[in-house]
Amino acid sequence: MPLYDFRCRKCHHRFEELVRLNDAVGCPKCKAKNAERLFSMSASVSTDKTRARTTKIARRRASGVHKEKKAADDAYTRNYIKEHSNG
């Protein structure tokens, strides 16, 4: 039996239920028998174009993080040398 998402028309409670195709579904909260079946989110299909775009975005973000980390490491090194130099 498939699992479907439902919303009660009376109290608007959302719930999931295992049901046969044409069975009437009752709301577990208010016991009304007029729940409507909702459409589930569909899965997207990955293509070469979407993978390339996602990879490009991820690399751009990683580059920004790398630059920030390098700047923080450089600042730490400068401060460490300044604090621990014999001058």
Side-chain angles (χ1 to χ4, degrees):
M1 287 190 298
L3 179 68
Y4 292 109
D5 294 323
F6 291 92
R7 182 176 61 89
C8 179
R9 294 173 198 241
K10 183 177 178 184
C11 71
H12 304 288
H13 175 69
R14 294 183 97 138
F15 59 97
E16 294 179 335
E17 192 73 37
L18 285 169
V19 295
R20 292 190 182 125
L21 191 56
N22 292 324
D23 286 352
V25 177
C27 175
K29 187 175 180 182
C30 73
K31 308 298 186 218
K33 295 289 184 191
N34 61 350
E36 71 174 310
R37 193 171 93 189
L38 303 174
F39 289 103
S40 299
M41 296 292 288
S42 61
S44 63
V45 176
S46 180
T47 63
D48 289 338
K49 185 177 180 180
T50 58
R51 277 193 298 274
R53 185 176 61 223
T54 303
T55 301
K56 183 178 177 180
I57 292 168
R59 286 184 177 156
R60 190 179 315 132
R61 288 181 183 162
S63 174
V65 169
H66 177 72
K67 289 177 185 176
E68 290 176 11
K69 183 177 178 186
K70 180 160 177 24
D73 286 343
D74 291 344
Y76 174 79
T77 302
R78 282 192 306 273
N79 289 335
Y80 184 85
I81 289 171
K82 189 186 297 184
E83 292 174 2
H84 293 91
S85 66
N86 292 332

